[in-house]
Amino acid sequence: MLIVLNELADTLRLGRVLAATFARRERPPALLLFGGLGAGKTTLVRALVESLPGAEQAEVTSPSFNIVNLYPTTPPVAHFDLYRLENGRMDDEIFEILESGRTWNVVEWADRLSPADVPNNPVHIVLQTHGTGRTAQIQANRADEEILSKALAGKQG
């Protein structure tokens, strides 16, 4: 599914729709974000987190230095930024957070994950600059794509 994000407001809306679509699940799908510097990955995560209960306690920033930020939202969000990760190697603590099942995992620079570390049934989101805006190419299982498509169209699913 390809979404054109002409303005910042469109990227923020996509983050809110992702939150509304997946956050109520017992185990939301990991969101794997791809795209270059300035493509809007952290902006998308900020909108998603700010849409969740408990967001007033979360300050969303790019976790490039820490590699992971944990936000006390419902569900709790683990926001990974793998830009600085060398050779796809995560230390044990980071790997444990990713695999714990206690957080909703959102991973920036997901192309740096080793294939063995990719969670089951993730939602892939490729953000690219396009003129003065962006595009988001979303790939998920068929059911999740249909639900997300309806939510983006403003229809109940």
Side-chain angles (χ1 to χ4, degrees):
M1 152 184 358
L2 181 67
I3 302 164
V4 177
L5 308 167
N6 291 316
E7 310 173 349
L8 174 63
D10 296 329
T11 302
L12 298 175
R13 178 175 180 265
L14 177 58
R16 290 189 301 269
V17 168
L18 288 165
T21 302
F22 298 122
R24 288 175 282 196
R25 291 190 182 169
E26 184 175 328
R27 187 157 181 178
L31 302 180
L32 304 183
L33 308 179
F34 303 84
L37 292 170
K41 297 178 299 294
T42 302
T43 299
L44 183 69
V45 176
R46 182 176 297 113
L48 180 143
V49 170
E50 290 177 352
S51 299
L52 299 173
E56 63 278 356
Q57 302 298 317
E59 182 179 339
V60 178
T61 59
S62 178
S64 294
F65 182 73
N66 301 343
I67 306 225
V68 63
N69 286 340
L70 298 172
Y71 304 122
T73 53
T74 302
V77 172
H79 176 198
F80 297 85
D81 184 328
L82 304 183
Y83 183 74
R84 293 181 52 242
L85 194 64
E86 294 181 25
N87 301 322
R89 293 184 187 159
M90 293 186 285
D91 67 29
D92 290 340
E93 182 180 346
I94 293 170
F95 184 74
E96 286 175 21
I97 293 169
L98 186 63
E99 290 295 311
S100 74
R102 294 185 301 263
T103 58
W104 184 7
N105 297 320
V106 181
V107 182
E108 293 189 40
W109 299 94
D111 54 302
R112 297 179 185 211
L113 273 175
S114 71
D117 294 334
V118 174
N120 291 329
N121 297 313
V123 174
H124 292 83
I125 302 173
V126 179
L127 293 163
Q128 295 182 314
T129 56
H130 181 73
T132 59
R134 298 181 173 96
T135 59
Q137 179 72 44
I138 300 176
Q139 181 182 8
N141 66 50
R142 181 175 290 217
D144 283 347
E145 279 190 20
E146 287 177 14
I147 292 167
L148 191 55
S149 179
K150 287 179 183 178
L152 287 165
K155 300 175 185 174
Q156 298 299 320

